[in-house]
Amino acid sequence: MTPGPPAGDGRGDRGGRARVEVFGVRHHGPGSARAVRRALEDFTPDAVLVEGPPEADPIVALAGDPEMVPPVALLAYAPGRAPAGGASGGSGGASGGTERQAAFWPFAEFSPEWQAIRYALGAGVPVRFCDLPAGHQLVQDTGDPDADPGEPAAPGDPGEPAEPAAPGEPAGPGDRGHEPAERAIRLDPLGWLARAAGYDDAERWWDDVVEHRHDGPSPFPAIAEAMTELRERLTAPGEDLTGLPPGYLRREERREAHMRRTLRRALKEGHERVAVICGAWHVPALLRKVPAARDDQILRGLPKAKVAMTWVPWTHGRLAGDSGYGAGVRSPGWYHHLFKAPDRPVERWLTEAARVLREEDLHVSSAHVIEAVRLAEALAALRGRPLAGLEEVDEAALAVLCEGAGLPLELIRRRMVVGERLGSVPERTPMVPLQRDLQAQQRRLRLKPSALDREQDLDLRRPNDLERSRLLHRLRLLDVDWGVPQEDGGRSKGTFRETWTLMWRPEFDVELIEASAWGTTVHGAATARAEAMAAHAGALADLTSVAERCLLADLGEALPGVMRALADRAAVDTDVAHLMSALPALVRALRYGDVRGTATGPLRTVVDGLVVRICVGLPPAVSGLDDDAAREALGRIDAVHGALALLDDPAHLRRWRDTLASVVDREHLHGLLEGRLTRLLLDAGRMPGVADRMARAVSAGAAPDRAAAWIEGFLSGGGLILVHDEDLLRLVDAWIAGLPGEAFTGVLPLLRRAFGGYGAAERRTIGERVRRLDGPRAPGDRPDDDGPDPVRAAPATATALRILGWEAPA
């Protein structure tokens, strides 16, 4: 493939000496990458052009640094913009205006563009990017007649969702068969070629003809010819454009015009052997004779944003099509293996799969591997494939290594087929100060980012773990959820421990860049963000959440302002529901503040005031509630009760229990609340005669739905009370047994909800005790009028005294 330069370049063919080679590739494919490397070594260009944003030309040399380990991505972002929504990997992210926040151009080691860049840098050949500048792609052109007003410009990654460009972006097996031919070709060129070759799966066809090739002639002339034929079919009159993405044609036209312009510039600079690596769909456009004036007209007047470029780490998971990346592949881990192990890839893959299974204590022998390889090769031969593909390897692993079990195969797929390889970038990569500060803290605290989720247990009594906890909480204030605390706010039942799940995602770099508007260090940015959140908090509960997060993150500079705003808001808020929703977060912060060494004096004043106001306002707030309102009130009561138990202040507990006792006998109290308050007071030792209260609640004169609500509220604290109190169990059993059929059907959902929350052991024990209610007492049961049996209690008493270090009485 040796075309002349595009028409209109002003240089002619330089006496026949200038030569251009255009290599059409799949953006991520091991066969394409190997073929590009061989083709460049044979062609020996004096300039290499790669599809990508030209703004990255100044930092392309970093790709040759030994510390640059793919997968990595070029990141384009608008510097100095106020914090807004983040960007998603592979397709850019749109925030509230007409401009995109960021866009990525990912590269794996098996990406042809990456291999072309590394070849050029190693050979000392100039390399530059030739796609439409990111500054144009991050701005919506409102003057575009083809664009939807609500559709932002196409992101600049190689092979975005709207681009049918490079082969290797199939839309799925056979899913274009019923569309008009022109639209099917534009949206899925690979699928069209695969069906013409007799395949029902475009990815399998591309693997067979390109990715699984190791030797033989270059595939690029055939690819160019196929794409030329497809595009010529689209030039026929009456092309059906229905269903194409808004503005698609105009975006593609602009991108290809800029590629031709960059090629002309390279030739004009005196380069005589220019290699272009681009998506195969664009090859005919670059070879076509188009006047330079025509391309200038297409590109004239495009809006442009100021952007900055950098390199960021990427992951194989973000290269997968399932992640939403339009140019993604199904199996980046498999493709990486094919590129790194061209010799006996099937044998090496199944050997690695056996190792993964052995690490999980599953028995896999060498004989298993040998038989699996034979089966994979036999399947490939039966299906006429040049090499066993992932489908054959998976089937062989399932049948032989996994012995037909699906879960071990899922383990292999998760660890190997996609994988979570995380790349790295050199220290000298351009970064905002906030990113550098975070990297310094990661090194100091020995918290290494990983693409695999892992648990991190922190003991807050250790200074290093305490600093780790503060860093993770500060990042969460900046919406960088590198660490996610487990349930109960990341705390275990003890005071001194936290458990986090850590997993680094590439888009965190975008979020750090956006958060850099708050400050240049993690501590400073988190402080400024907390102050802004407190100033714009819409509800009291939001303010209490900010106060709690400030304490967890040790943001002493922000806390006084937050506490002033909290005290002012709490003083004027008269809604008891708001006060009850706000209290738990404050109590948690107060209870655990001493562990972190943070001052909580002002917080205690706010908590004391809230408790008094809640106790005064609760009685009128719970009267005359319907079912939905009662259930919401029940959740708030439970939350306040748990918070005060955690606070463990005798005066507040006494005041709260007195309030509950005054409410439980009020008229028009919903049955759900009455039952729950009865249970809370019983557990606190403040409710005698509970059996009589339950008897009245479930008597024949009570409405079945109210009785069921009372029972649900009473039992919502756990079923152990029915295990240990036979009288209450008999009352519940007799009430349920005496319900008429229609009433039983009506209350059954409430009963299922009450008992469904119990553990299996509790339900089983209750069932066993109900079965014995009408029979003789079991040996372990004691009559209600008997006290503790000292003879039966003696062994347990002796054991308890021995544990406490006391001697059992003789």
Side-chain angles (χ1 to χ4, degrees):
M1 179 172 48
T2 313
D9 64 314
R11 295 185 57 86
D13 61 0
R14 296 181 55 84
R17 291 181 297 167
R19 182 180 172 192
V20 175
E21 289 279 4
V22 182
F23 303 112
V25 300
R26 179 185 195 170
H27 290 304
H28 307 293
S32 298
R34 279 194 297 267
V36 162
R37 190 79 184 214
R38 286 197 302 266
L40 291 176
E41 291 170 353
D42 293 340
F43 180 48
T44 61
D46 59 4
V48 176
L49 306 181
V50 177
E51 183 178 327
E55 292 93 339
D57 287 347
I59 61 172
V60 70
L62 288 172
D65 193 299
E67 295 182 6
M68 181 76 80
V69 180
V72 292
L74 285 169
L75 167 62
Y77 64 94
R81 187 175 298 168
S88 61
S91 60
S95 62
T98 60
E99 295 184 349
R100 290 181 179 270
Q101 295 295 311
F104 298 98
W105 287 258
F107 300 92
E109 191 167 4
F110 52 84
S111 300
E113 297 91 343
W114 181 259
Q115 290 301 317
I117 292 171
R118 294 297 293 262
Y119 166 82
L121 294 176
V125 175
V127 57
R128 65 182 63 163
F129 293 102
C130 61
D131 203 352
L132 190 67
H136 296 316
Q137 300 195 50
L138 293 181
V139 178
Q140 176 184 345
D141 181 6
T142 55
D144 186 351
D146 293 328
D148 186 330
E151 175 76 10
D157 57 352
E160 63 256 338
E163 182 188 1
E169 299 168 29
D175 55 357
R176 303 294 184 191
H178 299 290
E179 295 186 358
E182 293 83 1
R183 188 169 69 234
I185 292 172
R186 280 197 179 275
L187 295 179
D188 186 16
L190 273 194
W192 184 265
L193 292 173
R195 286 191 294 275
Y199 283 72
D200 60 357
D201 187 327
E203 185 138 338
R204 175 180 292 188
W205 171 79
W206 182 261
D207 284 349
D208 285 352
V209 299
V210 177
E211 305 306 343
H212 291 169
R213 291 167 56 101
H214 295 286
D215 298 310
S218 172
F220 298 117
I223 292 173
E225 183 179 356
M227 293 299 152
T228 301
E229 290 294 328
L230 288 177
R231 292 189 66 136
E232 286 180 356
R233 186 184 182 100
L234 298 179
T235 61
E239 178 186 350
D240 186 355
L241 304 180
T242 307
L244 290 176
Y248 164 77
L249 293 178
R250 180 60 61 89
R251 289 196 295 268
E252 289 301 292
E253 188 179 24
R254 289 169 176 169
R255 294 182 63 199
E256 292 169 350
H258 196 275
M259 292 180 191
R260 289 190 294 266
R261 173 187 281 182
T262 307
L263 177 55
R264 291 190 191 94
R265 186 180 303 119
L267 294 171
K268 189 174 182 179
E269 290 171 356
H271 297 292
E272 298 182 352
R273 301 177 65 82
V274 181
V276 183
I277 291 84
C278 64
W281 182 255
H282 302 303
V283 171
L286 296 186
L287 299 180
R288 193 171 66 244
K289 301 292 184 178
V290 178
R294 169 62 179 165
D295 288 341
D296 293 341
Q297 181 182 4
I298 293 173
L299 297 172
R300 184 176 296 117
L302 291 183
K304 188 174 184 179
K306 181 182 179 182
V307 299
M309 298 290 304
T310 188
W311 290 97
V312 296
W314 205 249
T315 68
H316 274 178
R318 284 296 190 270
L319 288 172
D322 291 343
S323 69
Y325 174 37
V329 295
R330 295 179 187 173
S331 47
W334 168 251
Y335 274 5
H336 179 82
H337 172 77
L338 288 180
F339 184 77
K340 297 295 289 185
D343 177 46
R344 297 184 177 275
V346 176
E347 291 88 338
R348 297 177 187 277
W349 177 268
L350 290 171
T351 301
E352 179 66 16
R355 186 190 64 80
V356 168
L357 295 179
R358 290 191 193 106
E359 288 178 351
E360 299 298 326
D361 295 328
L362 297 174
H363 174 66
V364 181
S365 67
S366 299
H368 283 91
V369 177
I370 294 171
E371 290 304 317
V373 171
R374 289 174 176 171
L375 178 56
E377 292 176 344
L379 290 172
L382 287 172
R383 295 167 181 173
R385 306 195 69 180
L387 177 73
L390 186 59
E391 295 84 357
E392 289 75 26
V393 171
D394 272 354
E395 292 174 21
L398 175 62
V400 181
L401 302 185
C402 305
E403 298 180 345
L407 287 179
L409 182 63
E410 287 300 318
L411 176 65
I412 294 173
R413 287 174 174 168
R414 185 171 65 252
R415 297 271 186 89
M416 297 177 60
V417 175
V418 175
E420 280 302 334
R421 182 184 298 268
L422 178 65
S424 62
V425 298
E427 284 289 330
R428 58 194 183 100
T429 302
M431 297 181 186
V432 297
L434 185 61
Q435 288 175 291
R436 294 204 177 276
D437 180 66
L438 175 58
Q439 285 191 355
Q441 295 196 52
Q442 288 171 337
R443 289 192 296 269
R444 179 173 61 84
L445 300 176
R446 298 188 295 279
L447 272 179
K448 185 178 179 180
S450 170
L452 292 173
D453 58 333
R454 61 185 178 90
E455 285 192 0
Q456 183 79 46
D457 290 322
L458 301 180
D459 186 341
L460 302 183
R461 293 168 295 185
R462 300 175 179 174
N464 194 62
D465 280 1
L466 180 59
E467 286 298 316
R468 289 174 172 178
S469 173
R470 289 170 174 169
L471 173 63
L472 295 174
H473 280 294
R474 290 168 184 171
L475 290 175
R476 283 176 61 80
L477 270 168
L478 298 174
D479 296 327
V480 180
D481 294 331
W482 174 28
V484 177
Q486 292 188 359
E487 292 184 3
D488 194 26
R491 290 174 289 269
S492 63
K493 296 299 183 182
T495 315
F496 298 100
R497 303 197 71 83
E498 286 185 347
T499 302
W500 296 76
T501 300
L502 303 182
M503 184 175 69
W504 186 264
R505 298 199 302 272
E507 54 266 30
F508 289 157
D509 285 292
V510 179
E511 292 164 359
L512 285 170
I513 290 169
E514 293 178 345
S516 64
W518 297 110
T520 58
T521 65
V522 175
H523 181 272
T527 298
R529 178 73 192 281
E531 292 172 343
M533 292 171 67
H536 298 91
L540 182 61
D542 296 335
L543 263 175
T544 60
S545 176
V546 174
E548 180 185 23
R549 296 172 74 179
C550 284
L551 285 168
L552 295 174
D554 191 28
L555 301 180
E557 298 86 347
L559 194 57
V562 173
M563 293 309 305
R564 283 194 300 271
L566 178 60
D568 294 344
R569 182 71 59 83
V572 299
D573 198 326
T574 58
D575 191 325
V576 176
H578 292 171
L579 302 179
M580 296 177 74
S581 298
L583 184 65
L586 293 180
V587 170
R588 287 195 302 269
L590 186 62
R591 178 68 175 85
Y592 294 103
D594 58 340
V595 179
R596 297 174 172 275
T598 53
T600 57
L603 189 60
R604 182 57 187 252
T605 303
V606 176
V607 168
D608 292 341
L610 284 181
V611 173
V612 173
R613 295 176 61 193
I614 289 171
C615 291
V616 171
L618 181 63
V622 296
S623 298
L625 301 180
D626 60 14
D627 292 343
D628 293 336
R631 196 165 297 281
E632 292 177 3
L634 176 65
R636 289 192 290 268
I637 289 173
D638 281 343
V640 171
H641 188 79
L644 293 179
L646 179 67
L647 187 62
D648 197 23
D649 185 298
H652 287 329
L653 283 173
R654 183 172 58 254
R655 182 180 291 108
W656 173 248
R657 291 164 181 166
D658 290 343
T659 302
L660 298 184
S662 68
V663 171
V664 73
D665 292 322
R666 292 175 69 94
E667 295 184 2
H668 309 299
L669 184 65
H670 195 279
L672 185 68
L673 295 179
E674 184 180 342
R676 183 60 181 146
L677 297 185
T678 302
R679 175 65 181 278
L680 293 178
L681 291 171
L682 173 65
D683 292 344
R686 296 283 299 270
M687 180 60 69
V690 171
D692 294 337
R693 281 181 173 271
M694 180 178 285
R696 291 195 299 271
V698 300
S699 64
D705 56 346
R706 175 176 171 78
W710 199 98
I711 293 294
E712 181 187 359
F714 184 80
L715 299 180
S716 63
L720 287 179
I721 191 170
L722 296 182
V723 174
H724 298 291
D725 195 323
E726 186 172 305
D727 286 343
L728 295 182
L729 183 60
R730 286 181 181 275
L731 283 171
V732 175
D733 180 63
W735 169 68
I736 295 176
L739 286 172
E742 183 177 347
F744 177 79
T745 303
V747 302
L748 183 59
L750 299 178
L751 294 175
R752 287 176 62 91
R753 181 160 50 196
F755 285 92
Y758 298 164
E762 284 186 344
R763 295 198 301 269
R764 182 173 58 253
T765 305
I766 292 172
E768 292 173 352
R769 294 189 67 85
V770 168
R771 186 177 57 192
R772 297 197 302 263
L773 284 178
D774 296 330
R777 291 186 182 274
D781 294 341
R782 63 176 180 83
D784 293 335
D785 55 353
D786 290 348
D789 186 343
V791 175
R792 292 169 51 215
T797 304
T799 301
L801 292 174
R802 194 174 298 113
I803 292 173
L804 295 173
W806 300 341
E807 292 296 330

